[in-house]
Amino acid sequence: MLTIGVLALQGAVQEHLDCLHSLPGVTGIAVKKAADLNGIDGLILPGGESTAIGKLLQEFQLTPLLIAKIRAGLPVWGTCAGMILLAKTIVDQPSCHLGLMDITVQRNAYGSQLNSFTTNALIPAVSSAPLPLVFIRAPYVAKAGPNVKVLATVADKIVAVEQGNMLATAFHPELTGNLEFHKYFVAKTGKQKITFS
Ligand SMILES: NC(=O)CC[C@H](N)C(=O)O
């Protein structure tokens, strides 16, 4: 059984847990405090509001611990606000949060909540069929370093990236009913014991 944590300070936590629980051989747990990080095989940083999540990480003294665990190789996947938390640089902001991924992100890059949209894209690394992508006050990657693999672009903007043990998507696979991205991340935890049909 693989255990995947979902950072549960704010945002779309339950939606990710529901997706994880629908995968055979996978259990999802809500991560609220340092002790919850023990024994997890991977961690999802959900969408929500990156400033709020960043503040709560500081308040609960989780920032240095998370940085250390991810640097040590803990597989992590940031969705939307989670992508912003992972970024080394945030456009027009003097500081970052975890600052681990070699990407520059533009927050709210598509406008306000009203400009949220859904589209489909083929992401060959993840699935042979086009995947539904939901963008909600989403960021995009304005710049990616040489060690960053671009997994997906939409209208020439980078929206999914991978760097070693880190995966980040500007969109929300947990809101689509399509589990391909969750399967991809679970497989990425390195324990390929699980093969999904
Ligand atoms: N859906 C999301 O996670 C939105 C992210 C949010 N706009 C932020 O900047 O933190």
Side-chain angles (χ1 to χ4, degrees):
M1 181 65 85
L2 283 175
T3 305
I4 306 292
V6 181
L7 185 69
L9 302 178
Q10 190 265 338
V13 178
Q14 192 55 49
E15 292 85 347
H16 272 299
L17 289 172
D18 291 345
C19 290
L20 292 169
H21 289 145
S22 12
L23 295 177
V26 180
T27 186
I29 63 156
V31 169
K32 292 190 174 161
K33 53 187 190 311
D36 299 331
L37 288 167
N38 296 330
I40 57 170
D41 299 293
L43 178 67
I44 294 176
L45 308 175
E49 218 290 319
S50 56
T51 310
I53 302 174
K55 276 193 186 135
L56 291 166
L57 281 174
Q58 294 283 0
E59 211 163 288
F60 297 129
Q61 285 151 15
L62 283 169
T63 307
L65 188 62
L66 269 188
I67 291 173
K69 291 247 179 209
I70 297 167
R71 283 222 176 106
L74 177 71
V76 66
W77 172 23
T79 52
C80 203
M83 171 188 258
I84 297 165
L85 292 175
L86 286 171
K88 276 192 183 161
T89 311
I90 305 170
V91 174
D92 293 334
Q93 274 185 215
S95 61
C96 60
H97 300 283
L98 301 173
L100 291 166
M101 259 188 129
D102 203 4
I103 53 175
T104 298
V105 292
Q106 170 77 56
R107 290 180 68 197
N108 303 323
Y110 299 93
S112 73
Q113 191 89 8
L114 291 175
N115 303 108
S116 298
F117 66 100
T118 303
T119 187
N120 289 290
L122 188 62
I123 307 180
V126 177
S127 174
S128 54
L131 297 172
L133 311 181
V134 173
F135 291 81
I136 304 170
R137 290 184 69 219
Y140 60 58
V141 176
K143 222 191 293 173
N147 299 330
V148 175
K149 185 174 160 194
V150 174
L151 295 182
T153 56
V154 168
D156 291 334
K157 302 297 184 198
I158 301 171
V159 293
V161 282
E162 198 169 33
Q163 183 180 4
N165 56 319
M166 298 178 281
L167 170 69
T169 56
F171 46 86
H172 289 262
E174 77 283 7
L175 301 180
T176 62
N178 181 303
L179 293 172
E180 292 306 306
F181 251 99
H182 289 80
K183 291 179 188 173
Y184 181 75
F185 179 62
V186 166
K188 204 176 146 57
T189 63
K191 305 196 179 177
Q192 310 256 0
K193 287 184 282 190
I194 300 181
T195 43
F196 300 105
S197 53

